[in-house]
Amino acid sequence: MEYSIKTVGMLTSGGDAPGMNAAVRAVTRAAICNGIRVKAIYRGYKGLIDGEVAEFSSQDVSGIIQRGGTIIKSARCPEFTTPEGRKQAYDTLVREGIDALIVIGGDGTFTGGRIFAQEFNVPVIGIPATIDNDLWGTDATIGYDTSLSTIMECVDKLRDTATSHERVFLVEVMGRDAGFLTLNAAIAGGCEAAIIPERATVMEQIEDAIGNGRRKSKNSSIVLVQEHAVEGGANAVAAMIEKEHPEYSTRVTILGHLQRGGSPTASDRILASRMGVAAIQALLDEQRNVMVGVQNEEIVLVPLSKAIHQKKDIKEDKWQAMLTLSI
Ligand code: F6P
């Protein structure tokens, strides 16, 4: 059987991440350089179902490497979880003459892409882009570094008011089911504690870090709380602290979607550029149903099934570093 990709479809799906545009640019230009036509699918899988497709030229991706968000839009698409929705999506592919799909997104994006690939025998390549950094098989996902820097800057600003008013700040951080953003931002921001789903030590940490810190040398604290680590999030942790320690004055900051915005860092732009080129190379090499990842600075290909189903671990030395340095 001849295996030749003439037209590739590209979409961004799920929560947007800074650097998605750099990936769109890289996929487009790498495809064109290799004689492959590129069709942008707007609004993720929704656009695939609705037929919102436009061919891209090299100029269509000019001036976007520095822009956050995604110029081809993103959406969460419940219809794509149904066989009827996926059949409509396949009809669009056939109509548009698209031979392979490059899907840029996170866990949900890859889950949908993998089922679609199996049902309709379409080659799918995943490019990991999510601030959560929760995909197995890649050291980093596009958008994570930018988001981490944004959170760190917010923590630095909150530190000023926390010390001035001698308060305990509870800062709620995104991450879906994972604590990577929270733990790493806590280390970078010199925080007193990090409440993450991977380590169930809420009150212990608070007693140790905040209590000892305040008694010894500190008069204020910043605790990062991963959005789903505790039911009720940062507000619930603040309530716990005020109940146990009415002498502490607490304030809650929910960073929310601020964490997903902004111009991507150099690191995210470079990662996205490398991964976009590697995704086209993977198709040329007749790969299918793999995610492009980066491990120890080298580009790797990982089966989509592993990227989705295997659990990426929190590094114990990072956890220990956060605990050790928070006293
Ligand atoms: O996966 C990215 C992410 O920002 C998560 O950290 C968060 O839980 C979720 O998306 C929020 O999704 P939405 O923007 O749909 O509310």
Side-chain angles (χ1 to χ4, degrees):
M1 183 185 88
E2 201 204 341
Y3 183 94
S4 138
I5 307 290
K6 295 188 177 62
T7 305
V8 68
M10 150 188 85
L11 58 82
T12 50
S13 163
D16 63 332
M20 276 184 163
N21 279 327
V24 165
R25 173 179 177 270
V27 167
T28 303
R29 293 195 171 164
I32 291 169
C33 276
N34 284 287
I36 299 173
R37 294 170 70 192
V38 187
K39 294 202 173 178
I41 297 152
Y42 284 83
R43 296 177 180 79
Y45 293 120
K46 175 137 187 32
L48 197 54
I49 292 174
D50 297 343
E52 273 195 276
V53 179
E55 182 158 358
F56 262 21
S57 68
S58 186
Q59 288 73 20
D60 287 314
V61 293
S62 287
I64 65 166
I65 195 167
Q66 77 284 8
R67 285 170 57 188
T70 160
I71 61 161
I72 57 173
K73 317 286 181 199
S74 192
R76 301 201 190 270
C77 180
E79 298 100 292
F80 198 69
T81 61
T82 67
E84 298 76 32
R86 291 194 294 274
K87 171 68 175 64
Q88 271 179 273
Y90 180 67
D91 291 344
T92 302
L93 281 196
V94 174
R95 213 170 37 245
E96 294 286 342
I98 295 173
D99 312 302
L101 263 188
I102 296 188
V103 298
I104 306 169
D107 185 78
T109 306
F110 293 174
T111 302
R114 183 167 167 261
I115 297 172
F116 189 66
Q118 283 168 343
E119 275 176 353
F120 297 102
N121 196 25
V122 176
V124 172
I125 307 288
I127 297 183
T130 161
I131 63 164
D132 303 333
N133 197 22
D134 57 350
L135 289 162
W136 186 90
T138 187
D139 295 341
T141 55
I142 297 164
Y144 169 67
D145 186 63
T146 306
S147 182
L148 195 52
S149 296
T150 302
I151 299 164
M152 185 187 71
E153 282 166 25
C154 292
V155 168
D156 290 349
K157 290 193 165 78
L158 289 171
R159 181 75 66 189
D160 295 341
T161 177
T163 50
S164 302
H165 284 268
E166 303 186 306
R167 283 172 171 155
V168 177
F169 266 80
L170 290 310
V171 182
E172 192 171 297
V173 173
M174 278 186 171
R176 213 165 55 105
D177 303 322
F180 300 103
L181 267 181
T182 306
L183 177 59
N184 285 285
I187 296 171
C191 296
E192 278 64 35
I195 314 293
I196 57 173
E198 294 86 347
R199 301 283 188 280
T201 55
V202 182
M203 270 331 267
E204 265 167 76
Q205 267 197 84
I206 302 232
E207 294 296 342
D208 273 15
I210 307 180
N212 289 338
R214 284 177 77 98
R215 272 196 297 277
K216 284 183 188 155
S217 56
K218 299 184 186 181
N219 61 5
S220 67
S221 308
I222 298 186
V223 176
L224 301 195
V225 184
Q226 200 273 7
E227 58 180 349
H228 298 129
V230 177
E231 211 185 316
N235 278 308
V237 179
M240 273 184 233
I241 295 176
E242 294 224 338
K243 185 161 172 267
E244 298 293 319
H245 293 281
E247 71 278 19
Y248 296 167
S249 163
T250 66
R251 288 292 184 274
V252 173
T253 301
I254 296 177
L255 296 178
H257 290 76
L258 258 183
Q259 297 161 96
R260 288 225 304 250
S263 178
T265 58
S267 178
D268 273 332
R269 296 181 198 192
I270 295 164
L271 185 65
S273 301
R274 290 179 78 192
M275 286 181 164
V277 172
I280 293 297
Q281 189 56 50
L283 285 177
L284 293 171
D285 293 343
E286 306 189 2
Q287 293 283 344
R288 43 169 63 210
N289 312 338
V290 290
M291 175 191 82
V292 178
V294 68
Q295 293 175 13
N296 301 320
E297 265 305 303
E298 296 298 329
I299 291 287
V300 294
L301 298 177
V302 177
L304 281 178
S305 56
K306 282 195 172 177
I308 301 162
H309 293 128
Q310 301 223 23
K311 179 120 179 87
K312 189 158 154 183
D313 287 332
I314 287 284
K315 299 255 180 277
E316 183 58 24
D317 79 284
K318 287 191 175 181
W319 176 249
Q320 291 304 331
M322 191 279 301
L323 291 178
T324 306
L325 303 175
S326 65
I327 54 168

